[in-house]
Amino acid sequence: MMKSNPPLEIIKCSRGAHIRKTLDGIITSWDQRAEDMFGYSSLEVIGQPFSALCTQEQQAQEKSRLNKMRESRCIMHFETEHVHKNGSMLLILNTLTPLWDLLGNIIGASRVVHDLTENNRIRQALFMEQQRWHAMLSAVRDAVITTDQRGHIEFLNAAAERLLGQGLSRIGGQPLRHFISLADGSLQAGIDEALDISMREMRSLDIPLRVLAGHASPILKSTISPLSPEGRQTPGTIIVLQEGQALAPGQPELDPLTGIHNRTTLETRLQAALASAHTQGEQHMFMYLDLDQFKIVNDTCGHAVGDALLKQIVSIIRGCLSTDALLARLGGDEFAILLLCCDSDAAGKIADDICNRIEAFRFAHEQKRFHVSASIGLVRIDHQWQDISALLQIANAACYTAKQEGRNRTHLYRDTDFAIKKHHEEIQWVNRLELALEENRFSLYCQRILPLNENSGIHGEILLRLPDGNGGMIPAGAFMPAAERFHITSRIDRWVTKRVLHWLMQHEHVIDHIDVLSVNISGQSIGDRAFHDYMLELIVSTPATYSKLCFEITETAAITNLADANSFIASMRRFGIRFSLDDFGSGVSSFGHLKNLDVDYLKIDGQFIRAIDSNVIDQAMVRCICEIANGTGLKTIAEYVETVEVENLLRGMGIHYTQGYLRHKPAPLDEMLKP
């Protein structure tokens, strides 16, 4: 198969300098960006060896790199140091690509270089600033802990290490909830919620906390404050625990903003109500209330004004309740109400009254008037519930259903409520997926993609699996809908891509038979510029064979995020990464959008393949796709090929590759090491 040189358009789109040289290292081409980067004009360097610009240490490696590129016939990525004309040192990221003649012989090398000098200086400055900051915090007498966006420990000062009884070297990177809980210690996950509220609302929280060293540990006065993303890649929190200033036993545990009960008190009372339902057959009612449009006030006027609104909302809710009802703030704009010895009809009337009064209320600030409403989920507390965790989750799901039904309304959970059960199941999946990400429980499988009419290396699609605990594997289709609904697919994509790149790097010398490994990228990742930045950082820091990597994006995701998709594709192509358009043909404007997407493969939607041998419409559709692909130089892949008859028909149509159970069932990724 004849190799081709890098297209001129791709080189022009690159932000790096472009240099060409012979296999002996003699410079033959030197563009304007190279002149700007190194300080030498083209007249000064063309005809000279490139090694003249290298440090003495790097000069010895130049020849070996060219020899290795010629022998391996692949693209190489590496960092080097070079000398600017003014004598200063440059840190350079290099991409070395073979240049071919028409007979397929390597005749030279194309070198695209990016100047990392300034980035490296900034990293060093940030590191020094971080060291000074850590030194300052270490001198503070109170215990100081910082966490990242996920609530994992980043830093402990000496006082915090003494308090926790463990050093940063041992527990750094672990979730804070493993070592600290809310004051009563009944809900460790509650600390995660407190950290999230502080970061999301950019405000400090005064919350009593307890170290999980034992039940006798004191309750400490504590402040959780957000760490701004400025100077950091992601948000985080800083927790200050005032050692030696324990709260007095029996001190009321109230929400510091609104003065009503907090989550800790609510859970204690819920536990007692559930116990009476089991032992005495009593029925109580529980409400989960979430404000609608509250974020508009926060974003428009600031959190101080949002806090003032919350206080007024609490006053409205209190006016609808009897004195024996318990009203608690769960966090943010979420509240809970416990009604003892109450039936669903009476609770429904109270919930409707709350909704009506909040809906009629208008919040005024600086000549602006805001309208908010409330969605409420109602749940009976009876013998069917075994613990308050399930009760809280179902109530939250009922509130979510009320929002889905149009907001400003109530929804009573019933045993036959399919939508709520589905939402509850998805919440269970989310908890399981979070744990899988934290503890690296996922497994990578692969299904081979085989050529029909040509000899080529092995192709494969990476497939994600989750062990079920009984020796089996759960396919991604079972849990990805929940991951998408709760916006964690981008984190899963990061996990998968990082593992695949490390696998390619680890097996670099034994995967010559592998041509392409395809990794699925979700629509959420395509539309997430932070994911784009993460991928660039990951690729620069992982010296893998990127030319073997292909990203699969669905047609729907690409069309929905067309600008972001094109930006992502362009940035990845600089490293030789290929792209496949998955589920092609499923969109209503497939062919119209194809000309706007720079991809290498079209993977035809399985709905056109499964019964193509008996459906003339499917046959016509696939033939049309083949003609378009052949006319644009794209390769076609047919998925869900399960019979010889279908495979033979596709071969006659000119399909390039097939994927399906007929030829290969998904297997652990290491199986791809076998030719």
Side-chain angles (χ1 to χ4, degrees):
M1 188 181 228
M2 186 176 294
K3 301 287 186 178
S4 61
N5 293 318
L8 184 60
E9 291 78 7
I10 294 179
I11 293 173
K12 288 180 177 179
C13 290
S14 170
R15 294 183 180 179
H18 179 233
I19 303 163
R20 291 194 178 195
K21 54 186 179 179
T22 67
L23 292 177
D24 294 328
I26 302 301
I27 298 171
T28 59
S29 175
W30 185 266
D31 68 4
Q32 182 61 50
R33 289 176 180 166
E35 292 188 6
D36 296 339
M37 188 178 298
F38 292 92
Y40 293 97
S41 69
S42 59
L43 293 177
E44 292 177 281
V45 296
I46 289 180
Q48 301 297 319
F50 185 79
S51 59
L53 301 176
C54 302
T55 64
Q56 187 172 3
E57 181 181 348
Q58 294 287 344
Q59 287 176 359
Q61 300 180 25
E62 274 299 299
K63 185 175 180 180
S64 64
R65 287 197 185 98
L66 286 171
N67 289 337
K68 183 177 179 181
M69 179 204 71
R70 181 166 50 188
E71 292 170 1
S72 62
R73 304 170 74 84
C74 67
I75 298 172
M76 298 174 62
H77 305 276
F78 51 91
E79 288 186 7
T80 54
E81 288 186 339
H82 294 275
V83 183
H84 190 276
K85 186 176 181 179
N86 62 15
S88 63
M89 296 302 299
L90 301 173
L91 180 64
I92 299 296
L93 174 65
N94 302 263
T95 300
L96 193 65
T97 306
L99 293 175
W100 316 79
D101 63 14
L102 294 177
L103 298 178
N105 300 311
I106 299 178
I107 59 173
S110 167
R111 189 172 191 144
V112 177
V113 298
H114 294 80
D115 187 358
L116 302 180
T117 309
E118 181 63 14
N119 288 343
N120 189 56
R121 187 195 66 78
I122 293 173
R123 283 199 301 267
Q124 290 294 329
L126 287 175
F127 176 76
M128 294 302 298
E129 180 64 25
Q130 184 184 48
Q131 292 298 102
R132 286 193 293 270
W133 183 64
H134 282 182
M136 179 183 67
L137 292 179
S138 296
V140 176
R141 292 185 178 181
D142 292 330
V144 179
I145 305 171
T146 67
T147 71
D148 61 17
Q149 190 174 18
R150 301 173 299 162
H152 291 198
I153 296 171
E154 283 188 336
F155 169 79
L156 304 171
N157 70 350
E161 290 185 340
R162 288 194 302 271
L163 183 66
L164 299 181
Q166 300 185 76
L168 181 64
S169 60
R170 183 172 182 180
I171 65 174
Q174 296 188 42
L176 181 64
R177 65 173 178 273
H178 290 176
F179 308 97
I180 289 180
S181 75
L182 298 184
D184 72 343
S186 65
L187 189 68
Q188 295 177 36
I191 188 68
D192 282 344
E193 183 178 13
L195 300 177
D196 183 63
I197 291 171
S198 180
M199 286 184 287
R200 188 175 66 246
E201 300 184 4
M202 290 302 295
R203 62 189 180 88
S204 298
L205 304 174
D206 294 322
I207 295 179
L209 301 176
R210 185 196 298 275
V211 176
L212 293 173
H215 295 295
S217 60
I219 298 172
L220 301 176
K221 290 183 179 180
S222 309
T223 301
I224 300 174
S225 301
L227 286 175
S228 170
E230 296 177 6
R232 297 169 53 94
Q233 291 184 342
T234 59
T237 60
I238 179 168
I239 302 98
V240 179
L241 299 100
Q242 299 178 29
E243 194 171 8
Q245 296 195 30
L247 294 177
Q251 181 173 338
E253 295 175 354
L254 301 178
D255 175 57
L257 173 65
T258 61
I260 62 177
H261 293 290
N262 61 18
R263 185 169 190 142
T264 303
T265 307
L266 170 71
E267 289 178 348
T268 301
R269 297 282 292 274
L270 267 181
Q271 192 66 56
L274 188 57
S276 71
H278 278 275
T279 59
Q280 303 175 33
E282 294 179 343
Q283 179 181 301
H284 316 293
M285 293 298 299
F286 179 61
M287 298 185 197
Y288 196 109
L289 183 152
D290 191 325
L291 295 180
D292 309 318
Q293 296 92 32
F294 174 73
K295 189 174 184 296
I296 296 175
V297 179
N298 257 357
D299 292 346
T300 305
C301 305
H303 294 289
V305 177
D307 289 348
L309 170 59
L310 288 178
K311 293 177 182 179
Q312 294 191 39
I313 292 295
V314 165
S315 179
I316 292 172
I317 297 173
R318 275 177 165 164
C320 303
L321 302 175
S322 61
T323 55
D324 60 346
L326 182 140
L327 172 62
R329 185 181 179 215
L330 300 176
D333 59 342
E334 297 175 335
F335 299 87
I337 300 168
L338 175 61
L339 302 173
L340 299 176
C341 300
C342 181
D343 59 30
S344 56
D345 289 339
K349 292 178 181 178
I350 294 172
D352 288 341
D353 187 28
I354 292 173
C355 285
N356 292 335
R357 293 197 191 188
I358 293 177
E359 199 277 333
F361 170 68
R362 296 295 180 270
F363 179 70
H365 174 72
E366 294 182 350
Q367 299 181 338
K368 296 179 182 177
R369 291 172 62 83
F370 296 93
H371 167 231
V372 294
S373 59
S375 298
I376 300 177
L378 286 167
V379 181
R380 297 186 189 90
I381 303 176
D382 53 29
H383 59 83
Q384 70 172 305
W385 306 109
Q386 299 303 314
D387 57 69
I388 62 171
S389 176
L391 185 63
L392 283 164
Q393 289 181 4
I394 287 295
N396 177 276
C399 180
Y400 174 83
T401 301
K403 285 184 176 292
Q404 293 293 100
E405 291 174 348
R407 303 177 184 267
N408 188 35
R409 65 192 62 217
T410 65
H411 185 94
L412 173 65
Y413 169 75
R414 293 183 173 84
D415 294 342
T416 57
D417 216 327
F418 174 76
I420 289 182
K421 286 184 177 179
K422 181 180 178 182
H423 183 71
H424 178 58
E425 291 172 359
E426 289 179 337
I427 292 176
Q428 298 293 331
W429 266 123
V430 169
N431 294 334
R432 193 169 177 180
L433 294 177
E434 290 281 1
L435 190 62
L437 285 169
E438 283 187 14
E439 301 181 357
N440 295 315
R441 294 187 180 183
F442 287 115
S443 294
L444 294 181
Y445 272 51
C446 192
Q447 185 176 31
R448 298 195 179 202
I449 301 172
L450 303 175
L452 282 180
N453 296 309
E454 60 179 274
N455 294 321
S456 67
I458 296 173
H459 289 221
E461 179 184 355
I462 300 296
L463 302 172
L464 190 62
R465 297 289 185 264
L466 180 63
D468 62 6
N470 298 311
M473 288 289 176
I474 303 171
F479 53 78
M480 287 307 289
E484 290 176 1
R485 180 185 290 273
F486 289 90
H487 301 284
I488 59 175
T489 53
S490 184
R491 290 172 55 200
I492 293 176
D493 290 346
R494 294 183 185 208
W495 189 96
V496 172
T497 308
K498 184 176 182 179
R499 266 64 187 180
V500 171
L501 282 175
H502 279 241
W503 188 89
L504 288 171
M505 180 177 65
Q506 181 183 2
H507 300 96
E508 179 181 5
H509 303 296
V510 291
I511 55 174
D512 288 344
H513 62 287
I514 298 177
D515 189 21
V516 175
L517 282 182
S518 295
V519 176
N520 289 280
I521 302 295
S522 68
Q524 290 177 11
S525 295
I526 291 297
D528 182 3
R529 291 303 176 114
F531 177 82
H532 299 189
D533 294 339
Y534 171 84
M535 284 305 308
L536 285 172
E537 292 178 8
L538 178 62
I539 287 172
V540 169
S541 63
T542 310
T545 309
Y546 307 120
S547 59
K548 294 185 182 295
L549 186 63
C550 176
F551 285 139
E552 280 195 20
I553 56 178
T554 65
E555 179 188 3
T556 303
I559 293 172
T560 303
N561 307 280
L562 191 57
D564 291 325
N566 280 325
S567 173
F568 182 63
I569 291 172
S571 66
M572 293 295 102
R573 279 200 176 281
R574 288 162 39 198
F575 300 93
I577 295 172
R578 286 173 270 187
F579 280 83
S580 177
L581 196 57
D582 198 8
D583 296 339
F584 187 73
S586 60
V588 296
S589 305
S590 296
F591 298 111
H593 285 284
L594 186 57
K595 61 184 179 182
N596 297 318
L597 291 167
D598 184 14
V599 297
D600 304 276
Y601 303 96
L602 295 183
K603 182 174 280 191
I604 304 171
D605 194 304
Q607 65 176 307
F608 302 115
I609 304 298
R610 288 189 179 92
I612 191 172
D613 55 333
S614 60
N615 190 307
V616 295
I617 296 178
D618 289 345
Q619 293 174 20
M621 185 68 182
V622 172
R623 284 196 181 94
C624 184
I625 293 174
C626 285
E627 290 180 9
I628 296 293
N630 290 332
T632 54
L634 303 179
K635 300 292 186 181
T636 50
I637 302 171
E639 55 185 352
Y640 295 104
V641 177
E642 299 176 354
T643 67
V644 174
E645 291 76 16
V646 167
E647 183 183 69
N648 289 336
L649 183 61
L650 295 170
R651 182 181 289 108
M653 291 180 175
I655 292 291
H656 298 97
Y657 300 90
T658 61
Q659 178 181 358
Y661 278 27
L662 174 65
R663 299 299 179 191
H664 187 252
K665 293 183 179 180
L669 177 56
D670 283 349
E671 191 262 359
M672 289 292 288
L673 296 174
K674 303 175 183 177

